[in-house]
Amino acid sequence: MSAPAEPLKLTRRDFASDQTVRWCPGCGDYAILAQIQKTLPELGLPRENMVFISGIGCSSRFPYYMNVYGIHSIHGRAPTLAMGLKCARPDLQVWVITGDGDALAIGGNHFLHALRRNIDVNMVLFNNRIYGLTKGQYSPTSEIGKRTKSSPDGSIDNPVNPIGVAIGAEASFIARTVDSFQKHMAEVLTRAARHSGAALVEVAQNCMIFNNGSWSHLTDPDARADNVLFLEHGKPMRFGKTMEKGIRLNGLTPEVVQVADVDPSELLFPTPVGVFRAISKPVYDQQLMAQVQAAREAGPPDLNTLYRQTETWAVPAPALEGTVCPCCDHPNLPGADECELCLASLTHEEATPAEARARIARRLYDDRIEKLEPSAAISVPESATAEEAIATMRERRIGCVLVTDAKGQLSGIFTERDVLARLVSAGIDPAGVAMREIMTSDPETIKPDHLLAHAFHLMMVNDLSYLPMVDEAGSPVGIVNSRDLIEYLARLVME
């Protein structure tokens, strides 16, 4: 009987791609990306069994930042691709990343049917109540009266409630979280990922540029306790700074009560029946015609001025006290307890592993190669034999020699690995072969004023033990080896 397979040991870094994350400073998308990358290693699934599919919008850049399979599809159609892929490959874990405009406007039909069919797909809906990528038009979830480029007189649309749509479609898992509720978001995402069936997670997400503060009643530290109700299975609905408030039914009408004034059993909701809702509210077409009439009375517009008008906008960094990471200087959302980029703690002063990693990363991007004090270059000409190169390595007690051409410029490198792989294994006489025939030609190089991070990148990506250092003319001036980098890191850890 074979031994059970070892569980996968992946980290957040394993799920981060090599692409630069490009969202506006302070955007809630950073927090969602960080928590999904942090959650996935806990699932124990190989990366090749995960797929992220997006439509169009700011949120839909998401697949580029994930080191898994991904599809950047067309506007509103991500659920259709996800349903097809899941049916064709039921062994895959499929995620849909979408926004309120992408999912609930052009994609509303696909969104609805993906949920009602109960396809085993995890849908994460970034809801910032605005069209951000197309520069600030009102979206299906924008509140009534919202003034935007496409609703200058105020929106008269009734906003879509994504949770309500999901309930109507009878999705088998429905949840909501907030971009700055990082621990809560991680818990919700983990439960959604482990759920079998259609899962919707709506994330109330802030857009710093076009709809800043839309969710402030949920994120403001002074107000959120009175506005946020955390649902816990089997527990009464309670909220407030000291959990002093609760919700109960008075007949068929929900009401807020003081917990101390009622029996705790009254706080549990029964299953409602009968007429749920019958109210009088403004009619859409009547409001639309009123706006048209008001525009007519204002006189014909100056189309030339309208066509030729221009606008500019600035991308502000959040200026909220206590939200800038002390380790990487990233501007975080209000109420965040850890940095969205480096996961350093924002709530206490004690150093954490994440803070240490961030400090070391900063040094790698501050210090230059000369900080390592590399060894001097030991070179041989291209005409030298392999025997002569090996003798030089023995005499100098070094693991490699650099090879130069007639102009004194670096043309190759010869290491102890080459001795084994190119001479001994092939049975070649080292006295009968010249360096130009046996060396590694055109090796990766670095210059003294390059960043240490560059050296780390070259050596890790190319599996190098030695990295030649050259001057502006291409002549060798030193050699960086893996021991230099290890000792440098050790000194940083001990600081």
Side-chain angles (χ1 to χ4, degrees):
M1 182 176 179
S2 60
E6 288 290 326
L8 288 176
K9 297 180 180 179
L10 300 175
T11 67
R12 178 198 176 193
R13 186 183 297 272
D14 294 313
F15 289 92
S17 76
D18 60 354
Q19 299 298 301
T20 301
V21 182
R22 296 188 182 277
W23 284 310
C24 298
C27 178
D29 291 0
Y30 287 100
I32 306 173
L33 174 65
Q35 291 308 318
I36 288 183
Q37 290 175 339
K38 183 179 177 182
T39 296
L40 293 182
E42 301 175 9
L43 304 180
L45 298 176
R47 291 178 297 174
E48 60 267 26
N49 283 9
M50 298 182 183
V51 183
F52 280 74
I53 304 176
S54 66
I56 296 297
C58 294
S59 64
S60 294
R61 298 173 181 171
F62 204 96
Y64 296 105
Y65 308 143
M66 297 296 299
N67 191 19
V68 297
Y69 286 110
I71 301 174
H72 189 183
S73 71
I74 56 179
H75 206 185
R77 271 64 175 185
T80 62
L81 275 74
M83 287 188 286
L85 179 60
K86 188 64 181 181
C87 290
R89 288 287 305 275
D91 57 309
L92 298 179
Q93 183 181 78
V94 181
W95 293 76
V96 170
I97 302 297
T98 186
D100 46 304
D102 185 56
L104 302 173
I106 191 171
N109 195 44
H110 306 298
F111 175 82
L112 174 69
H113 294 299
L115 294 178
R116 76 171 179 85
R117 287 182 174 131
N118 203 33
I119 299 289
D120 189 13
V121 170
N122 305 309
M123 303 181 70
V124 184
L125 194 158
F126 297 32
N127 186 4
N128 58 18
R129 294 177 165 180
I130 204 75
Y131 279 105
L133 187 66
T134 52
K135 308 300 182 285
Q137 299 83 7
Y138 78 104
S139 82
T141 57
S142 295
E143 59 270 33
I144 292 178
K146 184 73 175 180
R147 293 182 179 271
T148 70
K149 297 178 179 68
S150 55
S151 58
D153 295 324
S155 170
I156 57 174
D157 283 15
N158 292 301
V160 175
N161 180 355
I163 300 298
V165 174
I167 291 174
E170 297 186 1
S172 56
F173 183 95
I174 306 169
R176 173 187 286 144
T177 187
V178 181
D179 53 12
S180 63
F181 295 179
Q182 295 178 354
K183 292 181 179 179
H184 182 256
M185 191 194 309
E187 295 170 0
V188 169
L189 290 170
T190 300
R191 287 193 58 185
R194 291 175 174 166
H195 174 76
S196 179
L200 171 68
V201 177
E202 178 196 9
V203 184
Q205 176 252 328
N206 194 44
C207 175
M208 288 291 298
I209 307 304
F210 299 109
N211 205 21
N212 190 24
S214 177
W215 299 105
S216 58
H217 62 293
L218 302 183
T219 59
D220 185 352
D222 295 328
R224 70 181 183 184
D226 291 326
N227 292 315
V228 178
L229 172 66
F230 289 96
L231 298 177
E232 296 181 77
H233 183 67
K235 295 185 179 181
M237 296 184 178
R238 296 176 59 175
F239 63 103
K241 293 182 179 179
T242 60
M243 306 300 285
E244 75 278 8
K245 301 175 184 178
I247 301 176
R248 71 172 180 182
L249 280 181
N250 183 0
L252 292 177
T253 304
E255 64 178 8
V256 176
V257 297
Q258 293 294 318
V259 172
D261 298 336
V262 300
D263 189 296
S265 63
E266 294 182 67
L267 300 179
L268 297 176
F269 266 86
T271 301
V273 296
V275 178
F276 290 174
R277 194 164 187 254
I279 63 172
S280 176
K281 58 192 303 185
V283 179
Y284 180 90
D285 57 340
Q286 294 176 358
Q287 295 181 89
L288 179 60
M289 289 301 102
Q291 286 189 344
V292 171
Q293 182 60 33
R296 286 174 176 169
E297 294 174 354
D302 184 348
L303 294 180
N304 183 62
T305 301
L306 180 64
Y307 178 74
R308 297 180 183 280
Q309 70 179 358
T310 60
E311 62 178 13
T312 60
W313 58 87
V315 180
L320 300 172
E321 184 177 355
T323 62
V324 176
C325 177
C327 294
C328 68
D329 296 326
H330 176 73
N332 289 273
L333 294 164
D337 54 10
E338 62 185 19
C339 180
E340 301 151 357
L341 284 185
C342 72
L343 298 183
S345 172
L346 302 176
T347 58
H348 57 79
E349 298 179 355
E350 182 181 352
T352 66
E355 291 172 334
R357 290 194 298 270
R359 177 176 59 82
I360 292 173
R362 286 203 312 275
R363 288 289 297 275
L364 290 177
Y365 283 93
D366 289 339
D367 290 345
R368 307 287 171 170
I369 296 299
E370 56 214 15
K371 189 80 172 182
L372 297 177
E373 298 180 357
S375 302
I378 306 299
S379 305
V380 297
E382 292 180 344
S383 59
T385 65
E387 184 177 55
E388 292 171 334
I390 294 172
T392 299
M393 293 164 65
R394 286 176 175 171
E395 179 183 350
R396 296 298 188 95
R397 296 179 179 273
I398 55 178
C400 75
V401 291
L402 305 182
V403 184
T404 56
D405 59 18
K407 298 180 180 180
Q409 296 176 336
L410 181 73
S411 60
I413 187 172
F414 185 69
T415 71
E416 70 269 29
R417 183 187 298 178
D418 296 326
V419 174
L420 296 175
R422 301 188 178 188
L423 289 177
V424 176
S425 63
I428 297 176
D429 180 7
V433 61
M435 276 290 94
R436 65 172 60 90
E437 301 174 31
I438 203 72
M439 68 183 182
T440 298
S441 302
D442 299 320
E444 294 283 357
T445 62
I446 201 163
K447 295 180 179 179
D449 61 345
H450 283 182
L451 298 176
L452 276 173
H454 187 198
F456 270 96
H457 173 77
L458 290 177
M459 299 186 79
M460 292 177 64
V461 170
N462 298 288
D463 189 26
L464 302 177
S465 298
Y466 302 96
L467 187 60
M469 186 169 63
V470 298
D471 59 19
E472 293 297 332
S475 300
V477 295
I479 186 79
V480 175
N481 61 54
S482 55
R483 181 179 299 175
D484 295 332
L485 297 178
I486 292 172
E487 291 177 350
Y488 169 82
L489 286 177
R491 290 195 300 272
L492 288 187
V493 172
M494 295 302 293
E495 287 182 357

